Amino acid sequence: MSQPLRISLAEAVRDAAARLLRQAGWPAARLEAELLLCEAAALPRTALFIDPDQTLNAAEQASFEKLLQRRLEGEPMAYILGRRGFHALELRIAPGVLIPRPETELLVDWAVEIMPAHKPLQCADLGTGSGAIALAMAHARPAWTLYAVERDAAALAVAAGNARRLEVENVCLVQGDWLAGFACESLDLVVANPPYVRTADPHLACGDLRFEPTLALTAGVDGLSAIRRILPQAARVLRPGGRLLLEHGWQQGAEVRDLLRLAGWCGIVTRRDLAGLERATGARRAPRRQPTG
Ligand code: GLN
């Protein structure tokens, strides 16, 4: 019986990158081929540079081909590998949770910059998904308590797994509908990367978005229905002077500022992401009104 042809790591990467580029047009084809191969062969990425002539055995080759097929069919790298880096952490990711985006790190950096580091602040992350924002903030600020709120039980289980594995102890997982379960004036900070894509947005049929949970992505015809629900709840639950930081679409800055202004929020500011796009807006809950008369 003839031996199956043994191919080297270098050949495997070259062939796979060419297929990814030709069949799927992925711009990061070579990087993706390398990551998939290392996953299939349980190798560190350095092996590709130190020992590129090492050959794959049949089982490794078969497992690489399986992963490659999934990627060629468009499945996101984060779901295939089951992980994604976010801020200072590496998170486990599963289908059913939104894949953390680099632009969302802006919310974490912003909160860490403006809120006192050493006070025992009470903070909530709404629609936590994999737990990315809550865990990154809790990790950066051990004095704070982060309530990671999620409606979907399966997503909450992914967040719980991440909290346990990363040994982040100042996170409390809460199954709930935005801030419905929180007492009046009990929080110092509310952050959220809510769904904000318009239901008819053609991007939903492209790239990773096709595989991600619709509930985490879309929010009505104008993409603002979740933010409209969050604002009054945050106004009730934040202490006077407490902060709200919301991610939104790059074309929604003006609309989100208007919604906040009309609802009586103060200090409304929008920040841009690294691509220079309006990506998040923050505001302060107005101080309590003095009774008149
Ligand atoms: N920023 C994401 C996208 O458009 C959407 C995430 C969200 O809706 N919160 O790809």
Side-chain angles (χ1 to χ4, degrees):
M1 217 172 82
S2 65
Q3 288 293 310
L5 190 64
R6 285 205 153 208
I7 64 166
S8 69
L9 298 182
E11 288 166 331
V13 167
R14 205 176 43 237
D15 293 354
R19 286 167 67 192
L20 284 166
L21 199 61
R22 201 173 50 237
Q23 291 183 36
W26 302 129
R30 188 176 173 95
L31 171 66
E32 293 184 355
E34 289 180 5
L35 293 171
L36 294 173
L37 177 59
C38 291
E39 183 71 16
L43 288 170
R45 205 150 146 245
T46 45
L48 302 178
F49 307 99
I50 294 169
D51 194 9
D53 298 328
Q54 184 186 148
T55 55
L56 292 171
N57 65 33
E60 291 164 344
Q61 219 167 306
S63 131
F64 181 41
E65 185 56 32
K66 250 192 226 152
L67 299 187
L68 192 58
Q69 274 307 328
R70 288 170 64 186
R71 185 58 184 140
L72 286 167
E73 280 156 25
E75 191 174 339
M77 285 295 287
Y79 291 155
I80 301 175
L81 298 176
R83 58 177 190 269
R84 171 57 51 101
F86 180 79
H87 214 254
L89 305 175
E90 183 169 276
L91 300 160
R92 292 273 185 269
I93 300 298
V97 299
L98 190 81
I99 300 165
R101 317 298 207 241
E103 57 268 30
T104 302
E105 294 177 357
L106 169 62
L107 283 183
V108 179
D109 290 334
W110 196 352
V112 159
E113 176 193 317
I114 62 172
M115 306 299 286
H118 303 292
K119 289 202 179 147
L121 300 185
Q122 305 289 303
C123 316
D125 168 28
L126 308 185
T128 199
S130 63
I133 298 172
L135 289 166
M137 282 173 46
H139 176 77
R141 290 289 180 258
W144 301 359
T145 299
L146 264 298
Y147 297 95
V149 184
E150 175 57 56
R151 190 169 54 173
D152 183 71
L156 202 64
V158 175
N162 278 319
R164 210 175 313 116
R165 200 176 43 82
L166 294 165
E167 298 178 15
V168 177
E169 281 169 10
N170 49 328
V171 163
C172 301
L173 299 150
V174 179
Q175 190 170 7
D177 185 17
W178 301 135
L179 290 160
F182 288 80
C184 285
E185 302 193 358
S186 58
L187 297 177
D188 302 289
L189 171 68
V190 172
V191 296
N193 173 19
Y196 54 70
V197 179
R198 287 175 291 115
T199 39
D201 191 321
H203 291 108
L204 293 166
C206 307
D208 287 3
L209 272 69
R210 291 170 294 165
F211 292 81
E212 292 182 291
T214 312
L215 263 182
L217 288 169
T218 61
V221 285
D222 64 356
L224 293 169
S225 64
I227 291 180
R228 275 196 203 89
R229 283 198 62 217
I230 289 171
L231 294 192
Q233 295 192 21
R236 176 181 74 79
V237 161
L238 282 171
R239 300 189 225 281
R243 302 281 190 140
L244 172 65
L245 303 178
L246 290 174
E247 181 173 317
H248 49 69
W250 61 281
Q251 290 168 309
Q252 292 171 332
E255 287 165 295
V256 172
R257 289 191 294 276
D258 282 348
L259 288 173
L260 286 160
R261 203 173 300 122
L262 285 169
W265 291 77
C266 311
I268 302 162
V269 183
T270 296
R271 286 198 178 183
R272 291 176 187 269
D273 61 21
L274 291 174
L277 304 172
E278 288 196 336
R279 181 57 64 190
T281 295
R284 246 186 359 262
R285 209 207 112 172
R288 209 178 288 128
R289 285 232 188 83
Q290 295 303 315
T292 49

